[in-house]
Amino acid sequence: MHANRRVKGKWLCLLALLLLLSAAHAATDELTWGIEPFLHPRNLAPTFKTSRDFLGERTGTRIVTTTGANYDQFVTSVLHSEYDMALVGPHTGLLAMQKAGYLPLLQCESTLKAILLVDKSSAYRTPQDLKGKLVALPDHLTITSMLGAEFFRAQAGAPAIEVQYRYNDFQVDGPLMALKGEVAAAVMADEVYDLISPHIRADLRIIGESRRVPGLSLLVHKRVPAERRERLREASLEFLRTADPRVNLFVRTCVASEKSLGEDAQRQLAPYVEELKRRLP
């Protein structure tokens, strides 16, 4: 009887070991993809489902898309290396590569700029017309918010324009606030502006455009094995080059490029990286 118990005990130990190995293997076949919350979180998961499934199928990996409740939480998660992959703004991406162990998977060739929007029926025609008014900006950590503040800084031969800022968690909220009269103007990225309803865009007027900066970065953490990183890169490029931009948000916001972030682009982003570090809690 004791011998039978010992044999049974060995089989139970072996079964437990096999279950642990199976769970460990399943964990290595799952990657988390953090996506910058430029839309409300409830809209991001279904929006990126097609790209997530494509990358998963091509790489034999279960990919779980996730984001933060707001941009502050998302950036904190990136800088704590919580995501295996991350689609991020250019200044956040550069800081993540410098401080959080991320590597460039691909750099979107498309660039972005901030635009200053007002209700088209308003009397505002230039940033100077907004003196003393309330202006909606995206989250203070976004590069769009930093670019938007430059509309009101002192320029050569012109003093700074005094305005009040109202920061929003999500860029898409600002234009709606302008149309409701809650703010005089709103700042958002041009690539996000292109995503909002044509009916809403028809009621807005652009009265300012910032300089252009590099676009989104797709990063992968160095803990992901090199062979899998390469498969993810190839699959990402294939998806961006073949998917229909009319129905896919990832393709509309990221033009495929095999180039990495060059030295000139890094120098251009350096002040925004420093400003991001200054604003981080």
Side-chain angles (χ1 to χ4, degrees):
M1 182 178 294
H2 292 298
N4 288 338
R5 287 179 178 174
R6 285 196 296 271
V7 171
K8 184 178 180 181
K10 288 179 180 179
W11 278 108
L12 289 174
C13 288
L14 179 59
L15 178 60
L17 179 60
L18 289 173
L19 290 172
L20 287 172
L21 290 173
S22 176
H25 177 72
T28 60
D29 284 340
E30 179 177 294
L31 296 178
T32 56
W33 181 8
I35 299 169
E36 178 176 312
F38 46 84
L39 299 177
H40 288 274
R42 65 179 179 272
N43 297 327
L44 277 180
T47 299
F48 279 82
K49 181 180 184 302
T50 304
S51 51
R52 178 201 68 193
D53 293 347
F54 184 94
L55 297 186
E57 180 181 338
R58 286 291 194 272
T59 61
T61 306
R62 181 175 181 265
I63 297 178
V64 179
T65 51
T66 185
T67 188
N70 51 51
Y71 198 81
D72 293 57
Q73 186 186 93
F74 174 77
V75 172
T76 298
S77 295
V78 169
L79 296 180
H80 287 170
S81 305
E82 294 179 12
Y83 306 127
D84 299 306
M85 298 168 55
L87 182 66
V88 296
H91 65 322
T92 306
L94 189 53
L95 183 60
M97 288 187 280
Q98 294 171 352
K99 301 293 186 182
Y102 283 93
L103 302 169
L105 198 61
L106 62 85
Q107 176 64 37
C108 300
E109 187 172 347
S110 45
T111 59
L112 66 86
K113 64 182 177 182
I115 55 176
L116 184 59
L117 299 163
V118 297
D119 187 324
K120 73 174 185 180
S121 64
S122 72
Y124 308 124
R125 293 291 185 273
T126 69
Q128 289 77 12
D129 296 333
L130 297 170
K131 182 178 180 180
K133 303 299 183 181
L134 185 62
V135 177
L137 290 180
D139 187 285
H140 69 131
L141 298 183
T142 64
I143 197 167
T144 306
S145 183
M146 298 175 191
L147 290 168
E150 293 177 0
F151 289 125
F152 307 104
R153 290 182 184 163
Q155 308 290 334
I161 306 166
E162 295 184 7
V163 296
Q164 294 178 301
Y165 295 132
R166 174 170 172 177
Y167 292 98
N168 294 311
D169 286 340
F170 307 105
Q171 295 198 36
V172 292
D173 293 337
L176 295 176
M177 294 171 64
L179 292 177
K180 293 177 181 178
E182 297 173 5
V183 296
V187 170
M188 73 187 315
D190 59 336
E191 59 185 15
V192 181
Y193 176 73
D194 293 338
L195 302 177
I196 63 178
S197 165
H199 300 291
I200 295 176
R201 292 202 304 268
D203 290 330
L204 295 166
R205 180 171 61 247
I206 299 174
I207 64 169
E209 299 182 18
S210 77
R211 71 183 78 185
R212 284 200 169 274
V213 296
L216 294 169
S217 300
L218 184 61
L219 309 179
V220 62
H221 201 271
K222 63 183 180 181
R223 64 174 170 261
V224 177
E227 184 271 337
R228 181 164 291 182
R229 294 200 302 262
E230 183 57 28
R231 279 190 286 146
L232 285 166
R233 181 176 183 276
E234 292 175 355
S236 299
L237 287 169
E238 181 184 357
F239 181 81
L240 290 172
R241 288 168 176 162
T242 58
D244 187 348
R246 293 172 298 178
V247 296
N248 191 276
L249 178 59
F250 188 20
V251 181
R252 290 171 65 183
T253 55
C254 184
V255 176
S257 172
E258 297 193 30
K259 299 177 183 178
S260 58
L261 202 62
E263 291 183 4
D264 289 344
Q266 292 186 41
R267 280 194 293 270
Q268 183 185 11
L269 290 172
Y272 301 105
V273 174
E274 291 304 312
E275 182 63 17
L276 174 60
K277 290 192 291 188
R278 189 185 70 79
R279 296 185 182 193
L280 285 169

